[in-house]
Amino acid sequence: MSDAESTIHTLTEQIAACRLCRDSPTGRALPHEPRPVVRLSATARICIAGQAPGNLVHQTGIPFNDPSGDRLRNWMGVDREVFYDQSRIAIVPMGFCFPGNDAKGGDLPPRKECQTQWHDQIFRAMPQVSLVLVIGQYAQRYHLGDRREANLTETVRKALTYWQEGTVPNYLPLPHPSWRNTGWLKRNPWFEAEILPALRAEVAKFLS
């Protein structure tokens, strides 16, 4: 096992054992037993930086194992076999555990403990990542910082601008693929017409 693989293995084990949001929470404690869902890699050139697992993912322990994942795979132009090949695609949400539901039945925001404790370590340990798909406002706040626009729509609209900057890693902001965003997709047809072809081309390049 290489040094990089050893570091990733150790981080993965530490995250699996993490119980900060239950035992030393920032604010209210997680309302159920933590089940961190994250996929780190010493070789993957693509990283999916999402929001947090939903309830279906919490039950199975498999990231994007739900209709949102089906839509994301369609956006990327990959099948489940490629998507879950950890040697090719890493998955690092802003919150590693299902945060629970709000009063309206929607998912609560990602837990803050994960970013504070883990994210900087993780991305230092994965310097080979060349493309980060930055899904949703929480991930965009962390990965893009002051470079993001005033709202998610305008940030995603600038996706080709980020892509053309040629930074390493390259950041490609996306909306969340949840069914709750179906209305957003209908109101913003430029996303499917302009952004998805570029996304699929970038993904194919780093998977080849």
Side-chain angles (χ1 to χ4, degrees):
M1 183 182 295
S2 69
D3 289 345
E5 290 170 332
S6 178
T7 298
I8 291 297
H9 179 74
T10 298
L11 268 175
T12 298
E13 287 192 332
Q14 290 173 339
I15 291 168
C18 181
R19 296 295 182 269
L20 279 174
C21 53
R22 183 194 67 187
D23 299 338
S24 301
T26 301
R28 182 177 297 179
L30 192 72
H32 49 258
E33 178 65 18
R35 186 179 191 178
V37 179
V38 62
R39 292 196 170 204
L40 310 185
S41 175
T43 57
R45 298 187 66 196
I46 297 172
C47 179
I48 298 170
Q51 182 162 295
N55 187 41
L56 287 176
V57 173
H58 175 70
Q59 293 174 29
T60 64
I62 303 172
F64 287 102
N65 188 32
D66 54 19
S68 294
D70 294 336
R71 175 176 273 173
L72 178 59
R73 285 182 280 275
N74 177 263
W75 286 356
M76 295 171 66
V78 301
D79 59 20
R80 288 179 66 93
E81 182 179 359
V82 171
F83 187 84
Y84 290 118
D85 183 347
Q86 206 160 331
S87 70
R88 304 170 83 185
I89 297 177
I91 302 175
V92 185
M94 292 309 300
F96 301 151
C97 294
F98 171 51
N101 297 118
D102 61 24
K104 296 181 179 180
D107 291 354
L108 289 166
R111 300 291 306 197
K112 296 179 179 179
E113 295 90 345
C114 301
Q115 177 182 332
T116 301
Q117 180 69 21
W118 299 113
H119 276 70
D120 289 352
Q121 293 185 66
I122 287 170
F123 287 98
R124 282 196 302 268
M126 298 197 304
Q128 84 286 347
V129 167
S130 300
L131 175 66
V132 182
L133 306 184
V134 193
I135 299 174
Q137 60 176 325
Y138 297 102
Q140 289 164 14
R141 185 178 301 140
Y142 174 76
H143 289 280
L144 299 178
D146 293 339
R147 298 168 62 207
R148 72 189 192 282
E149 298 298 308
N151 56 56
L152 181 139
T153 298
E154 293 308 311
T155 299
V156 173
R157 195 186 295 272
K158 278 191 64 178
L160 297 185
T161 301
Y162 293 112
W163 171 51
Q164 291 163 355
E165 287 177 354
T167 59
V168 180
N170 204 342
Y171 296 100
L172 196 59
L174 301 171
H176 197 281
S178 167
W179 63 269
R180 294 176 182 272
N181 277 340
T182 298
W184 184 95
L185 295 170
K186 290 180 178 179
R187 293 191 302 272
N188 296 280
W190 50 265
F191 176 75
E192 183 173 355
E194 301 172 17
I195 307 302
L196 289 190
L199 167 63
R200 289 169 182 152
E202 281 289 276
V203 168
K205 179 174 72 176
F206 291 117
L207 289 176
S208 61

